């Protein structure tokens, strides 16, 4: 059960904090899964959805690199404001993934739904459960392109402006025709 942070806790956020979430799906009805995930985020106590990007399609990336034989991903970025701390937001993301059939059997394996925290109010964090900002976001056009679509001034902490990162990387995503969130 999700809880809203106790306003009396010294470490509880005292204000809404911005966060960037990356969503992806390459199994099942990918568009419906992403729509449902956005709906679940909208109904999560302590989370306000501020913007949802257009949906893009991309090839699957596995530990060994791009896997053109794997099902293609649909990806989007959601900007939220939250009263949750980063670990509570991660727990909610994992809950939503599980409710949509996510199975964690293989690292970077095919999945019904993936929700990653890309940035949490510029916070830098590295612990066994969560690394912020997301350690590979600067290398992923399927995160950068939709993020840039909803925030032209976006900056990935420690890496730079999202527009410059995407220009250097190259955008290999394509718009997902007929899919909107």
């Amino acid at each position: 059960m999700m809880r809203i942070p106790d306003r009396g806790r010294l470490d509880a956020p005292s204000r809404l904090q911005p966060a960037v979430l990356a969503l992806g799906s390459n199994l099942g009805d990918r568009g419906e899964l992403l729509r449902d995930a956005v709906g679940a985020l909208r109904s999560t106590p302590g989370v306000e959805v501020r913007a949802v990007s257009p949906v893009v399609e991309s090839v699957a990336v596995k530990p060994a690199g791009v896997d053109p034989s794997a099902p293609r991903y649909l990806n989007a970025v959601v900007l939220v404001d939250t009263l949750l701390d980063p670990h509570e937001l991660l727990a909610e993301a994992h809950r939503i993934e599980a409710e949509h059939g996510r199975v964690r059997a293989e690292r970077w394996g095919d999945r019904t739904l993936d929700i990653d925290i890309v940035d949490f109010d510029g916070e830098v964090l590295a612990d066994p459960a969560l690394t912020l900002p997301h350690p590979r976001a600067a290398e992923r056009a399927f995160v950068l392109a939709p993020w840039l679509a909803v925030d032209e001034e976006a900056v990935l902490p420690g890496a730079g402006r999202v527009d410059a990162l995407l220009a250097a990387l190259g955008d290999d995503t394509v718009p997902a025709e007929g899919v909107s969130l």
Side-chain angles (χ1 to χ4, degrees):
M1 180 87 188
M2 212 300 295
R3 65 177 179 77
I4 295 177
D6 177 357
R7 305 312 315 139
R9 270 188 19 215
L10 292 177
D11 61 341
S14 60
R15 62 178 171 80
L16 288 170
Q17 296 176 283
V20 178
L21 305 176
L23 281 62
S25 175
N26 78 332
L27 295 176
D29 186 338
R30 303 169 302 159
E32 187 65 27
L33 286 159
L34 293 181
R35 274 189 290 282
D36 286 352
V38 171
L41 287 166
R42 288 186 194 283
S43 66
T44 299
V47 175
E48 294 179 10
V49 172
R50 187 168 21 105
V52 180
S53 76
V55 180
V56 298
E57 190 172 37
S58 65
V59 296
V61 177
K62 306 283 179 126
V66 172
D67 183 356
S69 68
R72 293 177 64 84
Y73 274 85
L74 290 186
N75 302 96
V77 164
V78 178
L79 305 182
V80 302
D81 291 319
T82 185
L83 292 172
L84 306 178
D85 71 30
H87 288 94
E88 291 167 330
L89 184 59
L90 180 64
E92 288 303 305
H94 286 173
R95 176 190 59 78
I96 294 167
E97 290 174 344
E99 288 175 355
H100 291 84
R102 170 73 188 263
V103 176
R104 295 179 185 277
E106 164 191 1
R107 183 173 188 230
W108 295 2
D110 297 333
R111 60 202 73 165
T112 55
L113 183 61
D114 184 40
I115 303 175
D116 288 332
I117 303 173
V118 176
D119 178 42
F120 190 96
D121 200 15
E123 192 167 324
V124 176
L125 175 68
D127 67 35
L130 181 60
T131 301
L132 292 172
H134 190 286
R136 290 170 299 283
E139 305 163 6
R140 295 180 169 169
F142 59 82
V143 171
L144 300 173
W147 187 5
L148 187 59
V150 290
D151 184 357
E152 294 177 352
E153 301 300 319
V155 174
L156 180 62
R161 289 183 52 95
V162 170
D163 56 358
L165 293 169
L166 184 60
L169 183 63
D171 186 356
D172 60 355
T173 67
V174 295
E177 297 298 325
V179 180
S180 63
L181 307 180

